[in-house]
Coordinates of all heavy atoms in Angstrom, one line a residue:
D1 N 80.4 26.6 15.2 CA 80.5 26.8 16.5 C 79.7 26.2 17.4 O 80.0 25.7 18.5 CB 80.4 28.4 16.8 CG 81.4 29.3 16.1 OD1 82.5 29.1 16.2 OD2 80.9 30.2 15.3
A2 N 78.5 26.0 16.9 CA 77.5 25.2 17.7 C 76.5 24.5 16.6 O 76.4 24.9 15.6 CB 76.6 26.0 18.6
I3 N 76.0 23.3 17.1 CA 75.3 22.6 16.3 C 74.1 22.0 17.2 O 74.3 21.7 18.4 CB 75.8 21.4 15.5 CG1 75.0 20.7 14.5 CG2 76.3 20.2 16.6 CD1 75.9 19.7 13.6
T4 N 72.9 21.9 16.6 CA 71.8 21.2 17.5 C 71.1 20.2 16.5 O 71.0 20.4 15.2 CB 70.8 22.3 17.9 OG1 69.9 21.5 18.8 CG2 70.0 22.9 16.8
V5 N 70.7 19.2 17.1 CA 69.9 18.2 16.3 C 68.5 17.8 17.0 O 68.5 17.4 18.2 CB 70.8 16.8 16.3 CG1 70.1 15.7 15.4 CG2 72.1 17.0 15.7
S6 N 67.6 18.0 16.2 CA 66.2 18.0 16.9 C 65.1 17.9 15.8 O 65.2 18.4 14.8 CB 66.0 19.3 17.7 OG 64.7 19.3 18.2
R7 N 64.0 17.3 16.2 CA 62.8 17.5 15.5 C 62.3 18.9 15.7 O 62.3 19.5 16.9 CB 61.8 16.5 15.9 CG 60.4 16.7 15.0 CD 59.7 15.3 15.3 NE 58.3 15.4 14.8 CZ 57.9 15.7 13.6 NH1 58.8 15.6 12.6 NH2 56.6 15.8 13.2
I8 N 62.0 19.6 14.6 CA 61.7 21.1 14.6 C 60.1 21.1 15.0 O 59.4 21.3 14.0 CB 62.1 21.8 13.6 CG1 63.6 21.5 13.3 CG2 61.9 23.3 13.6 CD1 64.3 22.1 12.2
V9 N 59.8 21.2 16.2 CA 58.4 21.5 16.6 C 58.3 22.5 17.6 O 59.3 23.0 18.2 CB 57.8 20.0 17.2 CG1 57.7 19.0 16.1 CG2 58.8 19.7 18.4
K10 N 57.0 22.8 17.9 CA 56.9 24.0 18.9 C 56.7 23.4 20.3 O 57.1 24.2 21.2 CB 55.6 24.8 18.5 CG 55.6 25.9 17.5 CD 54.3 26.7 17.3 CE 54.6 27.9 16.4 NZ 53.4 28.7 16.3
R11 N 55.9 22.4 20.5 CA 55.4 22.2 21.8 C 56.7 21.9 22.9 O 56.5 22.4 24.0 CB 54.6 20.8 21.7 CG 53.8 20.5 23.1 CD 52.8 19.6 22.9 NE 52.1 19.3 24.1 CZ 52.3 18.4 25.0 NH1 53.4 17.7 24.9 NH2 51.7 18.2 26.2
N12 N 57.5 21.1 22.5 CA 58.6 20.8 23.5 C 60.1 21.1 23.2 O 60.9 20.5 23.6 CB 58.5 19.2 24.0 CG 58.7 18.2 22.8 OD1 58.9 18.7 21.6 ND2 58.7 17.0 23.1
K13 N 60.1 21.9 22.2 CA 61.4 22.5 21.7 C 61.3 24.0 21.6 O 60.3 24.5 21.1 CB 61.7 21.9 20.4 CG 62.0 20.3 20.4 CD 63.3 20.0 21.1 CE 63.7 18.5 21.0 NZ 62.7 17.7 21.7
R14 N 62.4 24.7 21.8 CA 62.5 26.1 21.7 C 63.7 26.5 21.0 O 64.8 26.3 21.5 CB 62.2 26.9 23.0 CG 62.4 28.3 23.0 CD 61.9 28.9 24.3 NE 62.5 30.2 24.4 CZ 62.1 31.2 25.3 NH1 61.0 30.9 26.1 NH2 62.6 32.4 25.3
F15 N 63.6 27.3 19.9 CA 64.7 27.6 19.0 C 65.1 29.1 19.2 O 66.0 29.6 18.4 CB 64.6 27.2 17.6 CG 64.5 25.7 17.5 CD1 63.3 25.0 17.6 CD2 65.6 25.0 17.0 CE1 63.3 23.6 17.4 CE2 65.5 23.7 16.8 CZ 64.4 22.9 17.1
D16 N 64.4 30.0 19.8 CA 64.7 31.3 19.8 C 66.1 31.8 20.2 O 66.7 32.5 19.6 CB 63.5 32.0 20.7 CG 62.2 31.9 20.1 OD1 62.1 32.1 18.9 OD2 61.2 31.7 20.9
E17 N 66.5 31.2 21.4 CA 67.8 31.5 21.8 C 69.0 31.0 20.9 O 69.9 31.7 20.5 CB 68.2 30.8 23.1 CG 67.2 31.4 24.3 CD 65.9 30.8 24.4 OE1 65.5 29.9 23.6 OE2 65.0 31.2 25.2
I18 N 68.7 29.8 20.2 CA 69.7 29.3 19.2 C 69.7 30.1 17.9 O 70.7 30.4 17.4 CB 69.4 27.8 19.0 CG1 69.6 27.1 20.2 CG2 70.3 27.3 17.8 CD1 69.2 25.6 20.1
G19 N 68.4 30.6 17.7 CA 68.3 31.5 16.4 C 69.1 32.8 16.7 O 69.7 33.3 15.8
E20 N 68.9 33.4 17.9 CA 69.6 34.6 18.3 C 71.0 34.3 18.2 O 71.8 35.2 17.7 CB 69.1 35.1 19.6 CG 69.9 36.3 20.1 CD 69.7 37.5 19.1 OE1 68.6 37.5 18.5 OE2 70.6 38.4 19.2
L21 N 71.5 33.3 18.8 CA 73.0 32.9 18.6 C 73.5 32.9 17.2 O 74.6 33.2 16.9 CB 73.2 31.6 19.4 CG 74.8 31.2 19.5 CD1 75.6 32.1 20.2 CD2 74.7 29.8 20.1
S22 N 72.6 32.4 16.3 CA 73.0 32.3 14.9 C 73.4 33.7 14.3 O 74.0 33.6 13.2 CB 71.9 31.6 14.1 OG 70.9 32.4 13.9
N23 N 72.8 34.7 14.9 CA 73.3 36.1 14.4 C 74.6 36.6 14.8 O 75.0 37.5 14.3 CB 72.1 37.1 14.9 CG 70.8 36.8 14.3 OD1 70.7 36.5 13.2 ND2 69.8 37.2 15.1
H24 N 75.3 35.7 15.7 CA 76.6 36.1 16.2 C 77.6 34.9 16.0 O 78.7 35.3 16.2 CB 76.5 36.5 17.6 CG 75.5 37.5 18.0 ND1 75.8 38.8 18.0 CD2 74.2 37.3 18.2 CE1 74.8 39.5 18.3 NE2 73.7 38.7 18.4
A25 N 77.2 33.9 15.5 CA 78.1 32.7 15.4 C 77.7 31.7 14.4 O 76.5 31.9 13.9 CB 78.3 32.1 16.8
R26 N 78.6 30.8 14.1 CA 78.1 29.7 13.0 C 77.3 28.7 13.7 O 77.9 27.7 14.3 CB 79.4 29.2 12.4 CG 80.1 30.2 11.7 CD 81.6 29.6 11.3 NE 82.3 29.2 12.4 CZ 83.5 28.4 12.3 NH1 83.9 28.0 11.2 NH2 84.0 28.0 13.5
V27 N 76.1 28.6 13.5 CA 75.2 27.7 14.2 C 74.4 26.9 13.1 O 73.8 27.5 12.3 CB 74.2 28.5 15.2 CG1 73.2 27.5 15.7 CG2 74.8 29.2 16.1
A28 N 74.6 25.6 13.3 CA 73.9 24.7 12.5 C 72.8 24.0 13.2 O 72.9 23.6 14.2 CB 75.0 23.6 12.0
I29 N 71.6 23.8 12.3 CA 70.4 23.1 12.9 C 70.2 21.9 12.0 O 69.8 22.3 10.8 CB 69.3 24.1 12.9 CG1 69.7 25.3 13.8 CG2 67.9 23.5 13.3 CD1 68.6 26.5 13.9
V30 N 70.1 20.9 12.5 CA 69.9 19.6 12.0 C 68.4 19.0 12.3 O 68.2 19.0 13.5 CB 70.9 18.5 12.2 CG1 70.6 17.3 11.5 CG2 72.3 18.8 11.9
G31 N 67.6 18.9 11.3 CA 66.3 18.4 11.6 C 65.2 18.9 10.8 O 65.5 19.9 10.0
D32 N 64.1 18.4 10.9 CA 63.0 18.8 10.1 C 61.8 18.8 10.9 O 61.7 18.2 12.1 CB 62.8 18.0 8.8 CG 62.1 18.7 7.7 OD1 61.6 20.0 7.9 OD2 62.0 18.3 6.6
G33 N 60.6 19.4 10.4 CA 59.4 19.4 11.2 C 58.5 20.5 10.8 O 58.9 21.4 9.9
P34 N 57.3 20.6 11.3 CA 56.3 21.5 10.8 C 56.6 22.9 11.1 O 56.1 23.8 10.6 CB 55.0 21.1 11.6 CG 55.5 20.4 12.7 CD 56.8 19.6 12.3
Y35 N 57.6 23.2 12.0 CA 58.0 24.5 12.5 C 59.2 25.1 11.7 O 59.4 26.2 11.9 CB 58.3 24.5 13.9 CG 58.2 25.8 14.6 CD1 57.4 26.9 14.3 CD2 59.0 26.0 15.8 CE1 57.3 28.1 15.0 CE2 59.1 27.2 16.5 CZ 58.3 28.2 16.1 OH 58.2 29.4 16.8
R36 N 59.7 24.2 10.8 CA 61.0 24.6 10.2 C 60.9 25.9 9.3 O 61.7 26.7 9.3 CB 61.6 23.4 9.5 CG 62.9 23.8 8.8 CD 63.4 22.8 7.9 NE 64.5 23.2 6.9 CZ 65.2 22.5 6.2 NH1 64.7 21.2 5.9 NH2 66.2 22.9 5.4
E37 N 60.0 25.8 8.5 CA 59.8 26.9 7.5 C 59.6 28.3 8.2 O 60.4 29.3 7.7 CB 58.6 26.6 6.6 CG 58.4 27.7 5.4 CD 57.4 27.3 4.5 OE1 56.8 26.2 4.5 OE2 56.9 28.3 3.7
E38 N 58.9 28.3 9.3 CA 58.8 29.6 9.8 C 60.0 30.1 10.6 O 60.4 31.2 10.6 CB 57.6 29.5 11.1 CG 57.4 30.7 11.8 CD 56.3 30.5 12.8 OE1 55.4 29.6 12.7 OE2 56.3 31.2 13.9
L39 N 60.7 29.1 11.2 CA 62.0 29.4 12.0 C 63.1 29.9 10.9 O 63.8 30.7 11.3 CB 62.5 28.3 12.7 CG 61.7 28.1 14.0 CD1 62.2 26.8 14.7 CD2 62.0 29.1 15.0

């Protein structure tokens, strides 16, 4: 339903809204980074 492509970092990216959307739709996240494991 939605996709995002990004380096997964804290400082200038925010994934909370996209993460919440993933509980209601098919959301794909492309990318890697130091914040990925926690997210």
Side-chain angles (χ1 to χ4, degrees):
D1 295 310
I3 192 169
T4 190
V5 181
S6 172
R7 181 162 165 73
I8 303 177
V9 293
K10 273 188 177 181
R11 187 170 184 270
N12 60 355
K13 295 288 187 293
R14 173 168 159 164
F15 293 85
D16 292 320
E17 292 83 7
I18 294 174
E20 176 59 26
L21 182 60
S22 72
N23 294 324
H24 304 269
R26 300 169 301 169
V27 177
I29 299 176
V30 178
D32 203 355
Y35 196 33
R36 177 184 169 183
E37 186 175 343
E38 179 180 335
L39 282 174

